Amino acid sequence: MLLSLATLLSSCTQRPEQGVVLKFWAMGREGEVVTALIPEFERTHPGVRVEVQQLPWTAAHEKLLTAFAGEVMPDVFQLGNTWIPEFEVLNALAPLDGHVAASAVVRQDDYFPGIWDTNVVNGKLWGLPWYVDTRVMFYRKDMLKRAGFDTPPQTWAAWMKAMTAIKRIVGPDNYAILLPSDEFEPLLALALQQDEPLLRDGDRYGNFRSAGFQRSLQLYADMYAQKLAPLNRITNVYHEFGMGYVSFYISGPWNMGEFKRRLPAEQQDNWMTAILPGPSGPAASVAGGSSLVLASSSRHKAEAWQLIEYLSRTDSMARFNELTGDLPPRRSNWTMPKLAGDVYARAFAQQFERVRPTPKVPEWEQIATEMRLVAERVTHGELTVAQAAALLDAKADHILEKRRWMLARKEAR
């Protein structure tokens, strides 16, 4: 009895275990791979332990919203940069401006400016770019040369001329460019090359009837009308690209590895990447990717920032690139041998200097979905460009109705 009492008293007087546990949520492959970087962080930050939870991309958005509503947010989490405006409106994020200003690791001028800008909403920084994504042109060098062109086109006019020449060579059953109907990014990239914004009046209304967007949609429609792009769905892009069914394909960085793996050895010298052509020269593309954010509800903001800062170091990003193939957002990483020596990655480095963010409103992804659906009707001849632009404005205005109401209330105070 006395022994039991002594044991009880001893356990009651022991101090609780010291240390901080950070909860870190990351998506998809990144959530699996980032665990390889955590031991070094924990070694160099004694007393801090990181618990990583991997979320599938298909469930991530709902999972984060549910966690916010239930007040069980992680300390640090990965966020697609088009989701940042939504979570900023919810007050789910902590601003990072003060942390960055005091950091010896994070330097804004080392990041591609268009990518950095995706994390700035209402004048404050809410995330740090973790990896970047955009769209460039994958093309068949040999087919372009057969058509009489030694270099990839840099303007819309030269692009259409090159595709027309290729179509003339490959005949009626083959095409010049692949524009899958379920991918809206090619049209979005063309639209971002214009001077006019996609939304107007403080992002309260659609601006799709602008001359710029209609020019972009007309170019997109012409590729189908002139039978430069197939309407039918392709099941194996790599096989059809290798067979010459298409010679141009607007796609992202993951396809560098896929083309290297899936095209036969004898075709590896036949393809290359290039920056997107623009109305008058090399131009903008989509500023995509994921960022690291700090939850406003975190009780360990100092330690959470240390984790974000550690993952943002150039050596951490270089290791992350090796493990995932994801492209780093810092220019200094692109001077390292692995990326600097990759001829297929050079176009991405050039394109990242020209990327532009999409409108920074929580409703943007809904609007982008409507843009894809309406554009598909244009390619099938169901709508003219002018009709499509008017319809898109109407749909965007309806989606943004609550935003206008909220802004009007805010301004009336």
Side-chain angles (χ1 to χ4, degrees):
M1 181 68 179
L2 290 174
L3 181 61
S4 298
L5 180 61
T7 303
L8 177 61
L9 290 172
S10 174
S11 64
C12 289
T13 56
Q14 283 179 354
R15 291 185 179 182
E17 182 181 350
Q18 298 298 306
V20 169
V21 176
L22 293 177
K23 294 187 181 299
F24 176 28
W25 290 4
M27 287 66 150
R29 172 70 174 155
E30 288 74 26
E32 298 172 4
V33 167
V34 73
T35 55
L37 300 178
I38 299 303
E40 176 64 13
F41 173 78
E42 293 177 338
R43 186 187 69 80
T44 55
H45 295 77
V48 181
R49 185 164 60 85
V50 181
E51 292 182 353
V52 179
Q53 182 174 344
Q54 188 260 358
L55 306 178
W57 270 109
T58 51
H61 187 263
E62 183 178 353
K63 175 80 172 177
L64 286 168
L65 290 178
T66 301
F68 174 75
E71 299 183 350
V72 288
M73 291 289 278
D75 299 281
V76 176
F77 54 102
Q78 174 188 353
L79 205 58
N81 57 17
T82 58
W83 296 357
I84 287 177
E86 178 181 5
F87 283 82
E88 184 271 335
V89 166
L90 293 173
N91 295 318
L93 309 179
L96 300 181
D97 305 84
H99 293 294
V100 170
S103 177
V105 172
V106 178
R107 297 188 357 255
Q108 180 179 346
D109 62 357
D110 193 36
Y111 286 76
F112 296 113
I115 296 294
W116 183 276
D117 188 39
T118 63
N119 292 267
V120 178
V121 180
N122 295 324
K124 292 184 178 181
L125 181 72
W126 302 100
L128 274 189
W130 193 20
Y131 66 85
V132 287
D133 180 22
T134 192
R135 299 296 185 274
V136 302
M137 190 163 59
F138 288 70
Y139 70 98
R140 286 281 300 265
K141 291 190 300 181
D142 56 333
M143 296 299 293
L144 197 61
K145 191 171 185 63
R146 278 183 59 192
F149 300 86
D150 292 325
T151 57
Q154 295 192 341
T155 66
W156 284 4
W159 194 15
M160 288 296 286
K161 185 178 179 181
M163 287 191 290
T164 302
I166 287 173
K167 175 64 177 176
R168 195 177 301 121
I169 292 171
V170 299
D173 297 328
N174 294 295
Y175 298 86
I177 186 169
L178 177 62
L179 297 170
S181 60
D182 58 346
E183 297 180 13
F184 69 89
E185 288 87 358
L187 174 58
L188 177 59
L190 299 178
L192 289 172
Q193 294 177 351
Q194 305 300 317
D195 293 330
E196 300 97 327
L198 295 173
L199 304 179
R200 62 180 176 84
D201 296 351
D203 294 335
R204 288 171 168 84
Y205 297 93
N207 196 35
F208 296 100
R209 279 177 287 191
S210 66
F213 180 78
Q214 292 199 56
R215 276 194 300 270
S216 302
L217 184 54
Q218 187 64 63
L219 175 68
Y220 188 77
D222 286 346
M223 294 180 189
Y224 286 95
Q226 297 178 28
K227 300 190 184 307
L228 302 175
L231 282 168
N232 57 298
R233 184 181 293 271
I234 290 178
T235 56
N236 189 329
V237 172
Y238 314 102
H239 178 265
E240 302 297 349
F241 188 83
M243 295 295 292
Y245 181 71
V246 292
S247 297
F248 288 102
Y249 179 37
I250 298 172
S251 192
W254 65 89
N255 263 328
M256 288 190 289
E258 293 300 316
F259 277 107
K260 290 174 185 177
R261 281 190 292 271
R262 298 190 183 218
L263 289 180
E266 62 271 19
Q267 291 184 351
Q268 286 299 323
D269 290 334
N270 291 342
W271 69 280
M272 187 48 66
T273 57
I275 191 171
L276 285 187
S280 57
S285 189
V286 182
S290 279
S291 300
L292 297 171
V293 299
L294 199 166
S296 58
S297 59
S298 173
R299 294 181 297 170
H300 309 294
K301 288 186 174 64
E303 293 84 0
W305 166 253
Q306 290 172 357
L307 176 61
I308 293 175
E309 189 177 50
Y310 164 77
L311 293 173
S312 300
R313 289 173 8 186
T314 51
D315 59 335
S316 297
M317 287 188 167
R319 176 68 175 146
F320 194 60
N321 168 248
E322 290 176 3
L323 294 171
T324 63
D326 291 341
L327 299 181
R330 299 189 66 156
R331 291 171 168 138
S332 52
N333 280 101
W334 290 80
T335 64
M336 296 179 176
K338 183 176 183 293
L339 285 173
D342 189 336
V343 294
Y344 302 109
R346 289 174 190 169
F348 284 94
Q350 296 167 0
Q351 193 70 72
F352 285 133
E353 295 288 357
R354 295 172 170 86
V355 293
R356 288 183 178 176
T358 53
K360 300 173 185 178
V361 296
E363 303 86 353
W364 171 248
E365 291 199 359
Q366 291 176 261
I367 296 172
T369 297
E370 294 295 342
M371 185 173 72
R372 178 183 64 79
L373 295 173
V374 170
E376 189 172 1
R377 295 180 63 186
V378 173
T379 63
H380 284 84
E382 299 174 14
L383 295 171
T384 66
V385 167
Q387 289 170 336
L391 179 58
L392 265 177
D393 269 348
K395 288 181 176 292
D397 292 352
H398 176 70
I399 292 170
L400 294 167
E401 185 175 6
K402 183 178 179 181
R403 174 177 172 80
R404 291 194 297 276
W405 176 78
M406 291 178 65
L407 290 174
R409 284 194 63 189
K410 184 177 179 180
E411 291 167 355
R413 291 174 183 168

